[in-house]
Amino acid sequence: MERPAWAPRSIDISVPSVSRMYDYYLGGSHNFEVDREAARRAMEFMPGLPKIMQANRAFMRRAVRYATSQGVTQFLDIGSGIPTFGNVHEVAQAACPGARVVYVDHDPVAVAHSQAVLETNDDAGVVAADLRKPQEILRSGEVERLIDLNQPVTLLLVAILHFVEDEDDPYGAVAELREALAPGSLLVLTHASYEGIPLPPERAGGAVDVYEGIRNPLIMRSRDEIARFFEGYDMVEPGLVAMPRWRPDTSPEDEDPYAFSGFAGVGRTA
């Protein structure tokens, strides 16, 4: 397999990556045949996966615009993935010039592309780090340069927590990040769940098995389990709901049924 010029030498291009699979679902071009093959296998069980990813992105953009409307113009996006059109910095800085954004990911391709996209943007940066190690993120040079932790921050955990197993204590990591943020900060979160998927759980489980097979387990949590991530936050209306139902721009009834898979919500610290 020939290595494209944009692929860092350090990555193994024979192993699928969830961030590159996500890029493929969204119609991006920064993925390899091994990623596309894994994504197509998952779609054999759950053909609406691209619709779910599109609903994730649409929710994220609405939540970012909401944050700027509330005067929260600092963004920490953990598990940010490969930059695509309508990314956080584009939405935030269009709504509020000077808004500051730090992307965090542990995928070398996502980090390399973010660095290239942000090369001329003084108000945005990228950190190579892992959600499971919050202090590495909080003490990074880019966070110290761009984020004033004494002022409210929008913390984005969009489509990332379902890749963190319980044994790695995702609740503890989210709580540690919350404790570092100033009052008035926001948590923007989406999470996969069997609830809402327009398929029998055993069929949807086939797609989950594909992720297990590439050693990136997809943890399908219940609504109550997802709500636990918002401990210490007051939920913003309409609460923890299916992605198209969170402050929609158009009628949710017009959405594809797969868009209602999983949950999304925004919380605010007191």
Side-chain angles (χ1 to χ4, degrees):
M1 183 188 305
E2 185 176 347
R3 180 182 298 271
W6 52 263
R9 303 297 305 178
S10 59
I11 69 167
D12 183 349
I13 62 176
S14 68
V15 177
S17 152
V18 294
S19 65
R20 297 195 305 266
M21 289 170 68
Y22 191 95
D23 179 68
Y24 172 71
Y25 292 136
L26 290 173
S29 59
H30 294 102
N31 49 75
F32 307 124
E33 181 55 32
V34 68
D35 307 306
R36 296 189 285 273
E37 182 182 341
R40 287 192 291 263
R41 285 203 310 273
M43 290 169 62
E44 288 176 8
F45 298 98
M46 200 183 301
L49 278 166
K51 293 294 184 182
I52 297 172
M53 308 312 169
Q54 291 163 18
N56 256 284
R57 299 290 298 182
F59 161 76
M60 178 273 289
R61 290 191 286 268
R62 296 195 304 275
V64 168
R65 289 195 293 268
Y66 170 79
T68 60
S69 76
Q70 300 299 299
V72 184
T73 58
Q74 302 186 107
F75 297 85
L76 181 58
D77 184 1
I78 301 178
S80 50
I82 296 168
T84 57
F85 176 75
N87 230 33
V88 173
H89 73 281
E90 294 174 329
V91 178
Q93 292 172 356
C96 179
R100 297 193 162 198
V101 179
V102 175
Y103 293 114
V104 180
D105 209 289
H106 70 289
D107 184 309
V109 171
V111 172
H113 274 288
S114 297
Q115 289 170 335
V117 167
L118 302 173
E119 190 173 10
T120 60
N121 191 325
D122 293 335
D123 292 322
V126 59
V127 174
D130 194 309
L131 169 62
R132 293 169 292 189
K133 298 178 180 178
Q135 291 306 314
E136 288 187 9
I137 297 170
L138 295 167
R139 295 173 182 170
S140 66
E142 288 296 83
V143 168
E144 291 183 350
R145 179 176 75 88
L146 289 167
I147 304 293
D148 180 358
L149 292 174
N150 294 312
Q151 298 296 321
V153 174
T154 300
L155 171 63
L156 294 109
L157 299 174
V158 175
I160 179 63
L161 285 164
H162 47 235
F163 291 115
V164 184
E165 297 178 86
D166 287 342
E167 64 192 47
D168 290 321
D169 193 17
Y171 296 104
V174 174
E176 192 171 341
L177 289 163
R178 183 195 68 230
E179 290 301 313
L181 303 181
S185 292
L186 301 172
L187 171 62
V188 173
L189 183 152
T190 66
H191 198 296
S193 177
Y194 284 119
E195 297 176 44
I197 297 177
L199 288 173
E202 58 272 18
R203 181 165 178 80
V208 173
D209 290 343
V210 171
Y211 282 89
E212 180 79 35
I214 64 171
R215 299 182 181 178
N216 278 284
L218 180 59
I219 312 302
M220 306 290 271
R221 295 187 171 98
S222 69
R223 186 183 186 282
D224 287 345
E225 289 171 326
I226 297 166
R228 281 183 55 201
F229 288 113
F230 286 96
E231 288 182 2
Y233 290 90
D234 296 324
M235 294 301 296
V236 171
E237 289 293 332
L240 187 61
V241 295
M243 292 175 287
R245 298 196 185 282
W246 197 90
R247 301 187 176 226
D249 296 325
T250 57
S251 172
E253 278 58 47
D254 295 334
E255 292 284 351
D256 186 282
Y258 275 98
F260 295 85
S261 306
F263 293 95
V266 176
R268 178 186 286 107
T269 57

